[in-house]
Amino acid sequence: MLNFYDFEVFAHDWLVVVINPIEKTKTVLVNDRDGLSRLYDERKGQIFVGYNNCHYDQYIFKGLLLGLDAKWINDQIIVKDRHGWAISREFSKIPMINYDVMMRNDLGLKTLEAYMGNDIRETTVPFDIDRKLTKAELDEVIFYCTHDVEQTIEVFARRKSEFTAKLDLLKMFDLPISYLSKTGAQLTAIILEAKRPREPRNDEFDLEILPCVQLGPYDWVRQWYLKPENQDYDATLKFDIAGCPHVCKWGGIHGALAQYSADGYLINVDVESYYPSEMIVHGFLSRNVSNPSKFAWIKSHRLELKHAGDKRQKSLKVVINGTYGASKDETNALYDPKQANQVCINGQLMLIDLMWHLTSGCGAEIIQSNTDGVLVKMPDGFAGGPDAFYSAVDDIAAEWESRTGMQLEFDEYTKVYQKDVNNYILVAEDGHTKGKGAYVKELSELDADMPVVNRALIAYMVDGVPPEVTINAATDLIDFQRVVKLSGKYLYCMHGSERMQEKCFRVFASKRSRDGGIFKVKRIGKKPEKFACTSDHVFIDNGDIHGKPAPDFLDRRWYIDLAYKRLEQFGVA
């Protein structure tokens, strides 16, 4: 049974709203510890779901049950930036099953609400009010708190697969339901039965470069990593690989031809499950795992489930892909920086090895590379055309696979538009695309920032449709929304000369000269800063905009100009 909840805490009042969508019940408690205790006793075996509840709400809940002051707990977490679990050991005595719908890269619940087109208006009651709230103020806070709980339910529904994957993981490895609150990295360490060494190893830079690596003229890169003066996580190495600028760091390799676009025959060569494969084939798994064969079995079993169309493969992917990151996390039982460095550096060198053999062996042009793959283009006038080039690349790849123990996958494309290594789109002969980056990624209901501009770019790159055609054809207001949110570094927002109470806004370019820009103020007396990628004239609509048509005063020209500006960044003249 799922109970969605949210606490609001003031200096002299606290309240919680709990909604059970299955039972269709809503509970509102205001300064009622006894009521909260009864609710806990009735539902403590059930799952409590919230947004950021694993870091905030659960500790308010537990603290109130323990007789602590809600505002004091709030200030420990919000003002003093303490982890909730570190505030009191007594919290661990209150068992509670929590699941948090917040994801690492989220910009907050209000931002997600805005993307979905929902009402994002906020309470006018200030949270720093130093007195008891009036009945009218409490009613307003309850209204908006209820709205946030309802929005959390919406976000959960759109991310239900994440919940199901974690639940399946617990079932597969017979773990307690209370572990729902743990992160993927924490579960990974538990599943692999990782145990920290009694004494720190202090050998994180004792690198062992694989003997299979062949770097030819780039062998000096290997030596660069072995020099003590470069064994610093801030060290950076910049160089060209066959004319393509590259950067090597202790966190990975990337390179790309900037502002580049081209037609031709391209092959994207990816290493299949690169880092996990290194851990298995070359023994680079965290040494805190006593039974490495379990990790190998998980990777193998996940492929079996994937081929069988079993959705549980997504659960195992959490373990497989989370192991490398966990081995770099000092708070995780998998922490083993030497092995993490072995994986990363040898991975970089093997990729350089592959690029050198591709450029020297068949003249492939390097368009970009990034961590686990490389995009190459067939040089003009290649004898035999695409079939011969594919065969040459395949032969080189087969030798590399045999030598390194890794496996490669090929995808063929006919166009590339590339702003940089983190922003590009590839177009295949049949019209399907592969994209990366905010400008060309496939947007969703929880990530819909000016979707009309993204569609305009993709329509041009794939089918040659001018941006103005796509943008002028759009009729829904939501297609043009730009969502901006005030960060904790700033005091308040301004719309033109008007100081705003809210922190999150849905703004649209306006033709009306009386509409000012949207700004943020860092401190009193400092010049306001305009939010990035917003027009000098904007109107705000923070209400529900589902089905709302774009008004005549929407400045479509601003969006068209933005689309052309972005196309220039992708190398389109």
Side-chain angles (χ1 to χ4, degrees):
M1 195 70 72
L2 302 179
N3 302 280
F4 293 80
Y5 74 115
D6 183 37
F7 276 88
E8 302 293 354
V9 177
F10 296 83
H12 303 283
D13 297 280
W14 63 265
L15 64 88
V16 64
V17 174
V18 184
I19 296 178
N20 187 312
I22 304 300
E23 295 180 344
K24 297 183 179 178
T25 60
K26 181 175 86 168
T27 303
V28 179
L29 300 172
V30 181
N31 302 323
D32 185 358
R33 290 179 189 266
D34 291 339
L36 188 68
S37 182
R38 286 193 299 272
L39 183 140
Y40 172 77
D41 288 338
E42 291 168 1
R43 309 186 190 188
K44 61 184 176 184
Q46 299 178 14
I47 300 170
F48 285 85
V49 185
Y51 191 90
N52 197 35
N53 57 309
C54 281
H55 297 93
Y56 178 79
D57 300 83
Q58 69 159 323
Y59 297 109
I60 303 295
F61 200 138
K62 293 180 178 182
L64 287 167
L65 294 179
L66 290 166
L68 300 177
D69 181 70
K71 184 65 165 64
W72 178 78
I73 302 168
N74 173 88
D75 290 352
Q76 291 294 309
I77 297 172
I78 303 299
V79 179
K80 296 189 176 180
D81 198 27
R82 294 183 69 188
H83 292 293
W85 55 265
I87 296 172
S88 172
R89 292 182 179 179
E90 297 297 304
F91 287 158
S92 63
K93 296 179 180 179
I94 308 288
M96 192 175 180
I97 306 169
N98 270 279
Y99 179 77
D100 198 334
V101 302
M102 185 178 74
M103 298 181 72
R104 187 178 62 179
N105 295 324
D106 282 355
L107 298 176
L109 181 60
K110 278 285 175 249
T111 302
L112 299 180
E113 293 175 27
Y115 287 150
M116 291 188 288
N118 297 338
D119 192 323
I120 58 169
R121 287 172 291 186
E122 302 174 48
T123 177
T124 61
V125 181
F127 281 92
D128 60 356
I129 193 167
D130 192 20
R131 59 167 172 77
K132 293 283 289 184
L133 301 186
T134 66
K135 183 181 183 304
E137 289 169 338
L138 279 172
D139 288 343
E140 181 180 334
V141 174
I142 290 168
F143 173 83
Y144 283 104
C145 185
T146 300
H147 175 76
D148 283 348
V149 176
E150 292 169 343
Q151 294 300 295
T152 300
I153 295 172
E154 276 203 45
V155 174
F156 174 84
R158 287 166 172 78
R159 290 177 171 172
K160 190 176 179 182
S161 62
E162 305 292 333
F163 173 76
T164 303
K166 186 172 282 190
L167 207 57
D168 284 343
L169 200 59
L170 301 185
K171 291 177 182 177
M172 290 169 71
F173 293 96
D174 196 26
L175 298 174
I177 189 70
S178 60
Y179 282 13
L180 265 177
S181 63
K182 294 190 179 296
T183 65
Q186 290 170 332
L187 286 176
T188 296
I190 291 168
I191 289 167
L192 294 176
E193 303 171 73
K195 290 182 174 57
R196 293 178 178 274
R198 291 182 179 179
E199 298 293 334
R201 295 189 179 97
N202 299 318
D203 61 354
E204 60 187 303
F205 291 113
D206 292 347
L207 297 181
E208 302 167 19
I209 305 301
L210 294 171
C212 64
V213 173
Q214 297 178 3
L215 297 172
Y218 302 101
D219 195 68
W220 59 271
V221 179
R222 177 207 316 256
Q223 302 306 319
W224 186 87
Y225 277 110
L226 295 176
K227 291 179 180 178
E229 61 266 29
N230 297 325
Q231 293 177 343
D232 179 328
Y233 291 121
D234 292 328
T236 300
L237 175 63
K238 298 181 180 181
F239 63 105
D240 282 6
I241 298 178
C244 183
H246 274 70
V247 175
C248 281
K249 297 183 179 181
W250 286 88
I253 183 174
H254 64 267
L257 299 176
Q259 294 185 293
Y260 174 85
S261 65
D263 295 344
Y265 181 63
L266 301 116
I267 302 177
N268 197 58
V269 184
D270 273 327
V271 189
E272 185 182 85
S273 196
Y274 201 5
Y275 283 5
S277 295
E278 281 190 74
M279 293 176 192
I280 293 168
V281 174
H282 297 297
F284 291 156
L285 183 65
S286 168
R287 292 168 291 179
N288 299 349
V289 177
S290 60
N291 183 15
S293 62
K294 186 173 185 179
F295 182 70
W297 176 84
I298 290 171
K299 181 174 180 291
S300 175
H301 187 52
R302 187 240 167 183
L303 286 177
E304 292 173 5
L305 294 177
K306 185 177 181 180
H307 293 322
D310 192 321
K311 293 182 179 179
R312 291 179 301 167
Q313 65 89 11
K314 185 175 181 179
S315 304
L316 294 180
K317 191 176 180 181
V318 172
V319 178
I320 295 164
N321 291 348
T323 304
Y324 170 75
S327 67
K328 297 181 72 177
D329 180 358
E330 290 185 67
T331 66
N332 194 287
L334 282 163
Y335 181 62
D336 189 347
K338 174 184 176 175
Q339 293 296 78
N341 286 335
Q342 302 271 59
V343 169
C344 184
I345 303 310
N346 280 285
Q348 291 185 48
L349 295 178
M350 285 191 284
L351 203 67
I352 295 171
D353 173 339
L354 177 62
M355 286 188 277
W356 171 55
H357 282 88
L358 287 171
T359 54
S360 62
C362 62
E365 297 176 13
I366 306 295
I367 307 303
Q368 66 153 271
S369 74
N370 191 11
T371 305
D372 61 354
V374 55
L375 176 67
V376 298
K377 182 176 180 291
M378 181 182 75
D380 294 338
F382 189 84
D387 287 343
F389 184 70
Y390 184 97
S391 179
V393 170
D394 191 37
D395 287 344
I396 293 167
E399 188 278 330
W400 184 88
E401 289 176 325
S402 174
R403 185 160 40 81
T404 63
M406 302 295 102
Q407 298 295 313
L408 296 172
E409 299 175 319
F410 290 1
D411 287 302
E412 301 168 84
Y413 298 96
T414 57
K415 295 180 185 177
V416 57
Y417 296 90
Q418 182 167 277
K419 176 177 177 285
D420 51 52
V421 72
N422 292 313
N423 296 273
Y424 63 85
I425 188 166
L426 303 173
V427 185
E429 191 170 15
D430 62 4
H432 86 264
T433 63
K434 175 183 177 181
K436 181 181 180 182
Y439 294 174
V440 292
K441 67 182 177 182
E442 185 177 349
L443 299 177
S444 69
E445 289 180 297
L446 295 177
D447 184 15
D449 211 32
M450 296 191 293
V452 71
V453 178
N454 280 44
R455 291 206 305 269
L457 263 63
I458 294 170
Y460 178 85
M461 292 173 177
V462 176
D463 299 314
V465 178
E468 53 265 40
V469 173
T470 302
I471 291 169
N472 286 329
T475 58
D476 293 335
L477 183 61
I478 196 171
D479 286 335
F480 297 88
Q481 68 178 358
R482 168 79 172 113
V483 178
V484 297
K485 184 182 178 184
L486 191 73
S487 76
K489 297 179 181 179
Y490 292 83
L491 295 176
Y492 57 87
C493 291
M494 295 185 67
H495 182 207
S497 59
E498 180 185 1
R499 179 169 174 169
M500 309 299 287
Q501 295 294 324
E502 299 94 332
K503 293 183 178 181
C504 187
F505 302 90
R506 185 188 288 117
V507 303
F508 305 85
S510 175
K511 292 180 182 177
R512 300 182 303 198
S513 58
R514 70 173 184 268
D515 288 331
I518 185 78
F519 301 91
K520 49 191 175 180
V521 177
K522 183 167 283 187
R523 59 178 181 269
I524 302 298
K526 189 171 177 62
K527 183 179 179 182
E529 303 170 31
K530 190 160 75 77
F531 276 97
C533 202
T534 59
S535 171
D536 291 338
H537 302 278
V538 303
F539 63 93
I540 297 171
D541 193 334
N542 277 0
D544 189 321
I545 62 169
H546 287 100
K548 199 168 187 177
D552 291 340
F553 55 85
L554 177 77
D555 186 1
R556 292 174 184 266
R557 185 72 244 174
W558 183 85
Y559 295 93
I560 294 168
D561 290 344
L562 178 63
Y564 275 109
K565 180 179 178 181
R566 290 183 173 180
L567 282 172
E568 288 178 9
Q569 294 175 325
F570 279 83
V572 179

